[in-house]
Amino acid sequence: GENVEQHPSTLSVQEGDSAVIKCTYSDSASNYFPWYKQELGKGPQLIIDIRSNVGEKKDQRIAVTLNKTAKHFSLHITETQPEDSAVYFCAASTGNNDMRFGAGTRLTVKP
Amino acid sequence: SAVISQKPSRDICQRGTSLTIQCQVDSQVTMMFWYRQQPGQSLTLIATANQGSEATYESGFVIDKFPISRPNLTFSTLTVSNMSPEDSSIYLCSVGGQGAEKLFFGSGTQLSVL
């Protein structure tokens, strides 16, 4: 089955700096890669996703890149703000009810 | 996106008892799922709640321990039976599109078992 690895487990940045979280996946059949943000006491919220036919996708300050050959994808957050502080999860799926999540990255943005 | 209401938001339970968690969605959805998130950990799929039929459980999860109901396309319940401290986790209801993509999550139920 799919195995998703996520790094780093914790990340601390200064407000205004960029943050990058990286994930690798094992199943070459995976074709859908979402990112979730989980704030304390809340459920995960979908913030951006990408399909395997696209190499990059951007939405305001967040972007995701995908390298199918290397089987890795990354989340980039620019101009970080304190409200970006949360736990971020990557995930991968083949589209057959088999979504698998990474272990999570705790991002802290220091004002 | 769907609005998902989950109850209770948290509970403290005694060992050996059972707790039923409810999940209500504001629109009809095909796919509903139950996840467990152990303290500081990632999300693990417990089962897919199938409307009108028995739930489909993932490896390591059984119906006797986690019975699930899904009487219609907007509602599901998860029961955590005969609880032990190891069941202390956040339990999350989720809905998604075909193939379980674009998952949306409820706010979760924080369960503590003493």
Side-chain angles (χ1 to χ4, degrees):
Chain A
E2 176 67 277
N3 183 45
V4 179
E5 295 191 358
Q6 183 172 346
H7 301 280
S9 56
T10 61
L11 179 60
S12 182
V13 300
Q14 208 65 38
E15 182 177 0
D17 289 350
S18 295
V20 181
I21 302 170
K22 298 181 179 182
C23 288
T24 61
Y25 61 99
S26 60
D27 190 346
S28 56
S30 291
N31 55 20
Y32 176 67
F33 307 92
W35 286 88
Y36 288 85
K37 175 184 181 182
Q38 186 175 29
E39 297 174 318
L40 194 63
K42 297 184 179 180
Q45 177 188 7
L46 178 66
I47 57 172
I48 195 168
D49 56 9
I50 192 169
R51 296 194 181 275
S52 58
N53 59 346
V54 176
E56 183 174 358
K57 184 176 179 180
K58 189 174 182 180
D59 183 3
Q60 299 182 351
R61 294 186 298 109
I62 60 173
V64 57
T65 59
L66 171 65
N67 184 326
K68 281 171 43 181
T69 303
K71 294 207 279 276
H72 66 70
F73 56 113
S74 302
L75 178 71
H76 305 253
I77 306 174
T78 59
E79 301 172 23
T80 53
Q81 302 166 3
E83 49 266 37
D84 294 329
S85 296
V87 178
Y88 291 81
F89 292 97
C90 64
S93 168
T94 67
N96 292 317
N97 297 350
D98 60 355
M99 185 83 71
R100 293 292 180 265
F101 289 83
T105 296
R106 182 173 298 278
L107 173 64
T108 303
V109 180
K110 299 178 184 176
Chain B
S1 64
V3 176
I4 304 168
S5 302
Q6 198 172 325
K7 295 192 295 186
S9 58
R10 60 178 61 241
D11 208 341
I12 301 173
C13 300
Q14 295 297 318
R15 181 195 301 258
T17 62
S18 297
L19 176 72
T20 296
I21 303 167
Q22 299 181 1
C23 178
Q24 179 75 54
V25 189
D26 68 341
S27 59
Q28 294 186 344
V29 293
T30 306
M31 311 295 290
M32 290 183 77
F33 309 92
W34 287 97
Y35 281 83
R36 182 175 72 182
Q37 187 176 26
Q38 293 177 302
Q41 302 296 313
S42 187
L43 293 84
T44 301
L45 180 64
I46 297 171
T48 302
N50 301 309
Q51 194 265 329
S53 65
E54 202 168 275
T56 305
Y57 289 85
E58 296 297 303
S59 176
F61 298 96
V62 294
I63 187 172
D64 290 347
K65 176 68 176 176
F66 298 102
I68 288 171
S69 79
R70 185 159 179 210
N72 55 52
L73 292 175
T74 64
F75 185 78
S76 178
T77 67
L78 168 75
T79 299
V80 187
S81 304
N82 188 24
M83 289 184 285
S84 67
E86 292 71 36
D87 294 319
S88 297
S89 291
I90 298 172
Y91 292 85
L92 293 154
C93 171
S94 173
V95 303
Q98 195 62 34
E101 295 184 353
K102 290 197 180 294
L103 296 180
F104 297 98
F105 289 86
S107 55
T109 297
Q110 174 81 60
L111 171 62
S112 298
V113 184
L114 305 179

